[in-house]
Amino acid sequence: MARLNHHYRKLTAGYLFPEIERRMKAFQKDNPGTQIHRLGIGNTTEPLTPGVARGLEEGVKRLAAAETYTGYGDEQGLTELREALSRYYESLGAKIDPGEIFISDGAKPDAGNIQSIFSADSVIAFQDPAYPVYVDSNVIAGRSGSYDGERDNYSGFLYMPCREESGFIPAPPAQKADLIYLCSPNNPTGAVAGHRQLREFIDYARRHKAVIIFDAAYAEFITDPGLPRTIFEIEGARECAIEINSFSKFAGFTGVRLGWSVVPKTLVVEGGEPAEVHRCWLRRQTTFFNGASNIAQRGGLAVLSPEGLRECRELIGYYMENSRIIKRGLQELGLTVYGGENAPYLWLKTPGGLTSWEFFDRLLQEAHVVGTPGSGFGPSGEGYFRLSAFGHRADIEKAMESIANRLIL
Amino acid sequence: MARLNHHYRKLTAGYLFPEIERRMKAFQKDNPGTQIHRLGIGNTTEPLTPGVARGLEEGVKRLAAAETYTGYGDEQGLTELREALSRYYESLGAKIDPGEIFISDGAKPDAGNIQSIFSADSVIAFQDPAYPVYVDSNVIAGRSGSYDGERDNYSGFLYMPCREESGFIPAPPAQKADLIYLCSPNNPTGAVAGHRQLREFIDYARRHKAVIIFDAAYAEFITDPGLPRTIFEIEGARECAIEINSFSKFAGFTGVRLGWSVVPKTLVVEGGEPAEVHRCWLRRQTTFFNGASNIAQRGGLAVLSPEGLRECRELIGYYMENSRIIKRGLQELGLTVYGGENAPYLWLKTPGGLTSWEFFDRLLQEAHVVGTPGSGFGPSGEGYFRLSAFGHRADIEKAMESIANRLIL
């Protein structure tokens, strides 16, 4: 008698985005003809740059010709692309061998799957608030107890609260964790961890023989040269960290699907042999995955060319100008806004002590603008609200105008 | 202290293909200048067809224009593509709603991941020999005991031997299984299950409330109109089966990456609610996966157009002509060969009672031809040898000539 994996039933079922949709539709029904402005999109909106599109087209052309057709590719991904990424890391001041890089179909799959190579009884620590996949993948793997509706958390997990007074960068947990998920630049808070803060986590990880899963999917949005763009800039990270990254927001590949992970061969865990974590991830990827699309990989190569980097950084500049418009606009209204300077996410403190959902309703009803309630990302997100810099300029401007004219503060 | 998932250490580490490479290299070193012919490739070799390449190019162009750019797509994959697949099933005589179809990046990921939505204590049955991912994914999930080198199997799994006398189609297991993996047309044996044989499995599954995972990745190679091309042609399958399929061999997409799975809403398991298996798979896919490349999905739409289907079936015809050449050539030498008529794989009985690896060495040393030892796919593969129909025609002809002139029988 087949039965389902009962851990799925523990999930709080990702009510955040469906609930947003539900309230939007209800508003639209009550207010036909009213234009709703979206400031909560976590998805790229601008077309691919010309050089990157040419790289992808070249990828298709290679498959259509007998001389250049290829089927299954290299186990860890196109060697040329891994070499280009190795050079990219070098430009950031980190030494990563192409053999330590695994090309994937995006940061989300890697962030979800990485836990599966670790022991079922691992103790997991998350930033709170956090991108939901870190939590959900570990719930499904059976590493948590049940969900506590009152405290809005799962028993058995360690939550590291991200607080205003410490710039939304948490301290390492007081208890012993085995796996620690960190995302910097952060989704949803837009906060970026500095060298000293990352060093604290690395010290913690080395002391407790823990592994840090570092999600750097928004690294290209960092403009401040003093902030680390990869955890491997920090000494000691090669002994305790795995990095996950993506072309999604970097190059507008949210639909193209391309990312990568770095598992250093120098990362050794308790009871493991040298390079065994690396071999184990290779085994997981070659068993459950068959490589990213070779077309997307050719596009990735184009992104990392000098022309591609220039174009993509210009595109990021466009989104960051959106971010400045939003931040300035909200600040002019007297609102407190964090993030949005080295990250495409802005973290608004709800005014007048409103809960995240109360502010959602006010913003929708009064200004016809939709964002994302911070409480949807974890208990410490309560009282905050995520806005995103993705969107066409004209739409962003209209949304800000509507907020300025209509939101009652 | 982080530890690895210890089940990975149980794996027999996929020694098959690395061992083939090792022996090939040793031969090449001892015989410099000798040309080695490959008849064991499980990968497409011919370029994409023109109509399909145009579909992919169109996919790139859409992303390069502001009016048509899209990021993350529909949760279960492009609606148009799922509708086209629903019509494709209709043409095979099966009724599948687009909402029951999940677009993926290939059959291997789906075949590896599907077990994860089922209970950790599920009893698993496999065909023996079988495509390794079914076994490996369940070993990693902890559903087996250790590997028994003597018997070449894992304790705790149910192996269904595929024997010559029953055309390599197994009978349902005598014991109670919860999940049953079936692959038809089969890799590696090339055998195709008929209606009656599938009905036996469906009867078994309904009696024991088991779920059949049906891998139909080679269905398009079936030319005999009397053979089922989807398990959903058989009555009762919608209550007990999940189907996995792919564009890899269908359209030469091994590197493009595109596949799909069908989870009927009518499939209910013990203790589960109506449609809960479907919902659970949706939750798994939306948590651990972010959709197949939207470029590849546009290519899939082109495959399913009348022009695309005609072109792709012509390409399959090319490979099947390879298959006829191989089969005829071997039979003329007095060898016994199965499969290769409705599948791109041929299953050769090794002559003179040689083991699979003994025959591998003879074929390599004498005829300079490389194939795949059947024992690499499971204990009942011993004494057999897999040849594949993928390859350029001229290479196939040279390989067959070399066998005819040099193999000492």
Side-chain angles (χ1 to χ4, degrees), chain A residues 142-407:
Chain A
R143 293 196 181 91
S144 75
S146 55
Y147 176 73
D148 177 342
E150 194 102 345
R151 308 169 91 177
D152 186 20
N153 70 17
Y154 291 93
S155 64
F157 285 159
L158 302 179
Y159 290 80
M160 303 181 289
C162 300
R163 301 191 200 286
E164 189 176 8
E165 56 270 27
S166 44
F168 302 99
I169 302 298
Q175 307 93 320
K176 273 172 79 170
D178 300 317
L179 297 183
I180 303 167
Y181 288 78
L182 288 179
C183 173
S184 173
N186 191 262
N187 176 10
T189 68
V192 184
H195 284 81
R196 190 186 53 71
Q197 290 160 319
L198 288 185
R199 204 169 302 119
E200 270 179 38
F201 275 94
I202 289 170
D203 289 346
Y204 173 95
R206 299 188 70 179
R207 208 161 50 239
H208 295 295
K209 296 191 176 177
V211 172
I212 297 169
I213 315 291
F214 190 74
D215 184 344
Y218 300 96
E220 274 292 322
F221 289 77
I222 296 176
T223 45
D224 182 340
L227 291 171
R229 296 211 277 170
T230 162
I231 195 164
F232 298 115
E233 282 186 45
I234 321 294
E235 215 198 301
R238 284 187 55 88
E239 277 69 51
C240 64
I242 289 170
E243 183 161 296
I244 287 167
N245 211 320
S246 170
F247 288 93
S248 284
K249 309 294 161 66
F250 182 169
F253 272 29
T254 47
V256 174
R257 311 303 314 138
L258 194 67
W260 72 89
S261 56
V262 178
V263 181
K265 291 189 181 164
T266 42
L267 172 60
V268 180
V269 295
E270 182 64 19
E273 293 170 17
E276 196 180 356
V277 183
H278 180 277
R279 277 205 309 281
C280 202
W281 183 235
L282 175 62
R283 192 57 158 95
R284 143 66 238 186
Q285 292 300 76
T286 52
T287 302
F288 294 89
F289 181 58
N290 234 337
S293 177
N294 46 16
I295 301 169
Q297 293 193 67
R298 288 279 153 195
L301 259 182
V303 171
L304 296 173
S305 71
E307 181 197 14
L309 281 175
R310 197 174 51 242
E311 287 179 354
C312 289
R313 284 168 181 168
E314 230 172 78
L315 186 54
I316 287 171
Y318 175 92
Y319 290 130
M320 291 314 288
E321 178 60 23
N322 286 349
S323 181
R324 273 185 290 274
I325 293 168
I326 300 168
K327 193 159 185 172
R328 199 170 45 225
L330 296 171
Q331 284 174 334
E332 279 170 5
L333 298 175
L335 291 165
T336 304
V337 196
Y338 296 96
E341 273 163 32
N342 294 282
Y345 294 111
L346 299 106
W347 195 235
L348 172 70
K349 193 171 181 175
T350 60
L354 294 176
T355 68
S356 300
W357 278 109
E358 282 166 355
F359 184 73
F360 174 92
D361 288 332
R362 290 272 305 277
L363 195 65
L364 175 58
Q365 297 291 336
E366 294 169 12
H368 319 149
V369 169
V370 171
T372 314
S375 56
F377 298 97
S380 299
E382 183 57 279
Y384 289 90
F385 201 75
R386 189 188 82 169
L387 298 166
S388 116
F390 300 111
H392 301 312
R393 179 68 43 80
D395 296 340
I396 300 282
E397 284 168 345
K398 268 188 230 156
M400 293 314 299
E401 207 184 295
S402 186
I403 292 176
N405 294 337
R406 297 200 183 99
L407 187 65

Side-chain angles (χ1 to χ4, degrees), chain A residues 1 44 69 108 178 252 286, chain B residues 1 69 108 178 252 276 286:
Chain A
M1 291 191 300
T44 48
Y69 177 82
K108 181 167 142 182
D178 300 317
T286 52
Chain B
M1 290 191 299
Y69 178 83
K108 181 167 141 182
D178 300 317
E276 197 181 355
T286 51

Side-chain angles (χ1 to χ4, degrees), chain B residues 261-294:
Chain B
S261 56
V262 178
V263 181
K265 292 188 181 165
T266 43
L267 172 60
V268 181
V269 295
E270 183 63 20
E273 293 170 18
E276 197 181 355
V277 182
H278 180 277
R279 277 205 310 281
C280 203
W281 183 235
L282 175 63
R283 192 58 158 94
R284 141 65 241 186
Q285 293 301 76
T286 51
T287 303
F288 294 89
F289 181 59
N290 234 338
S293 176
N294 46 17

Side-chain angles (χ1 to χ4, degrees), chain B residues 4-78:
Chain B
L4 288 171
N5 171 354
H6 62 95
H7 300 302
Y8 271 94
R9 298 200 180 110
K10 292 182 195 161
L11 289 171
T12 52
Y15 284 130
L16 179 63
F17 292 100
E19 181 59 19
I20 290 173
E21 283 299 315
R22 198 188 63 73
R23 295 193 191 200
M24 254 176 66
K25 278 188 188 147
F27 173 82
Q28 197 77 83
K29 204 181 149 203
D30 295 344
N31 303 271
T34 304
Q35 198 195 342
I36 293 179
H37 308 282
R38 306 199 70 152
L39 274 185
I41 308 173
N43 195 356
T44 47
T45 55
E46 303 308 304
L48 298 180
T49 65
V52 172
R54 271 199 305 280
L56 291 164
E57 270 171 35
E58 170 66 22
V60 175
K61 284 205 177 73
R62 294 174 72 95
L63 297 180
E67 306 72 42
T68 47
Y69 178 83
T70 50
Y72 300 120
D74 304 336
E75 275 192 336
Q76 294 180 211
L78 194 63

Side-chain angles (χ1 to χ4, degrees), chain B residues 366-381:
Chain B
E366 295 169 12
H368 319 149
V369 168
V370 171
T372 314
S375 56
F377 297 97
S380 298

